[in-house]
Structures are given as C-alpha cells and as structure tokens.
Amino acid sequence: MKSSAIAHSNIALIKYWGRSQNHDPRLNIPANDSVSMTKYGLTEDTRLQSHTTIDFSDIYNEDTAILDGKVLTGRDMERVLSVVSPLRKLAEVKYKFKMMSKNDFPTQAGLASSASGFAALAIATVDALGLHLSKEEISTYARLGSGSAARSIHGGFVWWHKGNSHESSFAEQICGPEEFNMAAVIAIILEGKKDVTSDLGHESARTSPFNKVRIEKSQEQVEEIKEAILNNDFSKVGQIAEENCKYMHAVMMTSTPALFYWHPDTLGVIKTIQKARKEGLESYFTIDAGPNVHCLCRQDDINELQKLLEKIEGVTKTIPVKPAGDSYITKEYLF
Ligand code: DP6
C-alpha cells in the first residue's frame, strides 16, 4: 500500500486569511472563498513542488513522517495526521504508515510549501489506500493539513469554495494552465521561517476592525476575478489581485497582535512595480504571509520583469513561474 505524488504550490489572487467562526478551527473552513494560480518554477532546480511517498504496512510499529530529512513531531506531525487519519479510517485500514516528503524550495518562506506538501500527501494517501475519490473530494482532505493546500490539487487557476461543512469546502478548477495568459516573477527578499505562522494569523484576523469588510469585498472580488480570468483579461485580474492583497495586509497590520510581514525592501519592490506600470511594463504585486513579492505579468514579459527586479537592492533572487498542470501520481518512490 504505497504511493507517491507530486504537487505544485500556488499563489493566492484572492486571499484566505481567517477561518469561519462557525466551525471547528481544525477543519480550516475559511471565512471567504479564494482564488489562486497553481505555479510551476521555470528554473530546473526550483519547480516549487513537493514530492511525497507514503506506505501503509504491518511492518511499521508507529506512524512516522520525514520532511526534508527531518522526523516530524508536535504540531507538524499533528497536521500530517489530520490528513492521513480520516482517510485511513475511511478506507478501514489499520496499518501504521511511513511518509517521506521533500520540497525543492525553502520550507515556510512564504512560498506556500505547506500547500504543495499537503496536496501531495492527500493525493498519495488516497492512492495508497486504494480509495476512489474525485479531485474535489481529495481537496477537502488536503485542506485539513493546510487550507491553501485544497487549491494545489488542481493545476491552472483554482477556486476554493468556503462552503459550510467539511464536504462543501472544496476547490475546483476555473480554467487550465494554457487558458489564461499570466505568469509571475517572485522577488525573494528573505528566505527562512516566518516570524508568525499563518495558523496564528487565521485566528487573530478577527481582531482587526477591517476584517469584516475584507471578507465581504473578497467574496465580491471572487466573482469579478473568475470572470476576468475566463475573459483572459490580465489587467483586470492584476488590479483585483493587488487590491485584495492590500486588504489582507491591512487586516494583518491592524490585528492584535499586529502582524507586519513586510521587510523594508518589500516596499522597494512595490514602488518599482508601480513605476514600471506607468512606464509601460504592466505588472501587479501580491504578497502572502512573508516579505517576498509575487509580481504578476503576461507570459511575454517574464524576462523583462525579471531583469528589472534583479536590479533592486534587497532582492536576493528571482524565481519566474507560470501556471502549473494538475498534481499527479508518480512511480518514483522516495524510499
Ligand atoms: C497568506 O493556512 O494555507 O498564503 O501556514 O502555509 O499552511 P500555511 O498557510 P495557510 O494560509 C495561507 C495564507 C496566505 C493566503 C492564501 O494562500 O490564500
């Protein structure tokens, strides 16, 4: 009962920030729907993907999970179990498991490694247990590990319905990777662990006086951005994504405790993007719970944008990305 899967990370265009207060927080049911682009790194050593192998067998006396060579314990292991345990129960399997996973990018650097990691884990676990579930159903289990992982089950452009139960909070594809002309260049300012995990941020969001407005606006923007994606309207998608990112950071900065994920150089990138836009290179920024900036652009503008970002003091590295395909099962086992 062994399987391996590869999943890609994603960048949210309409953000998930804060859980619904009407449900058990462990279900990761969000306060609003969200939309993302699943991303594929254009450099060979940085595809921005997770590769995970899981094996259920009577040879194991306990459940073990190893990420990038380290045995997981505490909260990290709890999150793995939150995905695997309900699936193991569904399949009526009693065996313990061994899981091994590796990311080809820094863990917890605001590059959504948990999204690809839990998506790969959910896909490999479902396959290893011989369960027959749709991609939408698999996305609900990925969500239990990390909310944004629900979206990484699909390639291209993805919509996560907030829903109002475990079953109805799933992700579906809006369109495939070839159907909308968008890419991004990630301006890396700092690599390394985040100061405050998104887990805590999802709880503190509700203390911001702007939280309610952000949720309402995001829900409206989901409809607008889906239409713009399907119309292949890059300018509209970029504008909405940038607005939505600012709403989320306004909530973060006005929460208790206040969360400032930006680094001074983050603002340098924002200013450069705004200036470039005026001068004819159309790009929009979006930032997750970290200092790095995803600069959205048309696919033809990747090289020019990358050159521009590399000149900014404080940008240590750039990673060009385009929309990825679906996550998938592979015969390449990690053990
Ligand atoms: C800011 O709870 O999915 O990226 O801490 O990596 O598990 P992890 O993240 P998650 O929260 C994601 C928050 C966000 C916005 C988004 O991806 O929608």
Side-chain angles (χ1 to χ4, degrees), residues 10-12 14-17 19 28 34-35 79 108 112-115 118 145-149 151 160 194 197-199 202 248 252 287-289:
N10 71 77
I11 175 67
I14 302 296
K15 309 291 186 187
Y16 152 47
W17 194 250
R19 303 184 179 97
N28 288 339
S34 56
V35 171
R79 289 174 82 178
Q108 283 184 20
S113 59
S114 58
F118 287 108
S146 164
S148 54
R151 298 186 307 239
W160 171 17
K194 296 180 203 171
T197 63
S198 305
D199 227 11
H202 292 306
M248 180 180 73
M252 290 165 160
I287 307 160
D288 277 345

Side-chain angles (χ1 to χ4, degrees), residues 3 54 56 83-84 87-88 120-131:
S3 178
I54 190 160
F56 294 86
V83 176
V84 180
L87 287 167
R88 179 163 53 185
L121 176 64
I123 293 170
T125 304
V126 165
D127 188 53
L129 292 168
L131 290 164

Side-chain angles (χ1 to χ4, degrees), residues 45-294:
D45 57 343
T46 317
R47 295 294 185 207
L48 303 181
Q49 62 192 23
S50 302
H51 184 171
T52 301
T53 302
I54 190 160
D55 182 31
F56 294 86
S57 162
D58 60 1
I59 63 169
Y60 306 120
N61 297 324
E62 55 178 8
D63 293 331
T64 34
I66 300 160
L67 171 62
D68 290 335
K70 275 203 207 114
V71 176
L72 298 183
T73 55
R75 178 76 191 120
D76 292 334
M77 185 60 184
E78 254 176 47
R79 289 174 82 178
V80 169
L81 288 169
S82 70
V83 176
V84 180
S85 300
L87 287 167
R88 179 163 53 185
K89 200 167 157 208
L90 187 68
E92 296 178 8
V93 165
K94 295 269 181 294
Y95 297 147
K96 301 286 184 194
F97 68 82
K98 176 174 174 184
M99 181 217 94
M100 203 176 266
S101 184
K102 65 176 185 17
N103 293 323
D104 72 348
F105 57 102
T107 302
Q108 283 184 20
L111 291 178
S113 59
S114 58
S116 52
F118 287 108
L121 176 64
I123 293 170
T125 304
V126 165
D127 188 53
L129 292 168
L131 290 164
H132 298 285
L133 300 182
S134 67
K135 282 187 190 300
E136 283 72 22
E137 285 168 319
I138 298 175
S139 76
T140 64
Y141 289 94
R143 192 199 72 237
L144 298 173
S146 164
S148 54
R151 298 186 307 239
S152 270
I153 298 295
H154 304 279
F157 297 85
V158 183
W159 169 26
W160 171 17
H161 302 249
K162 67 181 161 86
N164 58 12
S165 60
H166 168 65
E167 292 76 19
S168 60
S169 188
F170 66 90
E172 71 170 291
Q173 192 180 58
I174 299 168
C175 70
E178 309 297 336
E179 290 166 71
F180 172 44
N181 179 355
M182 191 168 86
V185 180
I186 313 172
I188 302 289
I189 289 159
L190 277 179
E191 286 176 309
K193 289 206 172 198
K194 296 180 203 171
D195 295 345
V196 181
T197 63
S198 305
D199 227 11
L200 291 175
H202 292 306
E203 290 307 306
S204 63
R206 69 176 67 109
T207 63
S208 163
F210 304 123
N211 188 45
K212 194 161 164 269
V213 179
R214 190 204 70 84
I215 293 168
E216 283 165 11
K217 282 299 287 178
S218 298
Q219 208 56 40
E220 286 168 27
Q221 287 179 317
V222 164
E223 294 309 318
E224 290 165 16
I225 209 165
K226 276 193 301 172
E227 194 184 318
I229 290 171
L230 291 170
N231 287 335
N232 201 10
D233 187 343
F234 168 72
S235 304
K236 188 87 186 278
V237 169
Q239 284 160 19
I240 298 171
E242 197 175 283
E243 283 299 315
N244 189 266
C245 158
K246 290 184 289 184
Y247 297 157
M248 180 180 73
H249 283 272
V251 165
M252 290 165 160
M253 291 175 192
T254 51
S255 297
T256 309
L259 302 175
F260 288 85
Y261 285 106
W262 295 5
H263 180 278
D265 295 323
T266 306
L267 200 55
V269 176
I270 292 175
K271 294 274 184 195
T272 303
I273 293 299
Q274 287 177 329
K275 184 159 176 277
R277 202 149 70 207
K278 278 203 193 112
E279 291 168 358
L281 173 57
E282 196 177 355
S283 173
Y284 298 88
F285 64 84
T286 187
I287 307 160
D288 277 345
N292 305 321
V293 187
H294 281 68

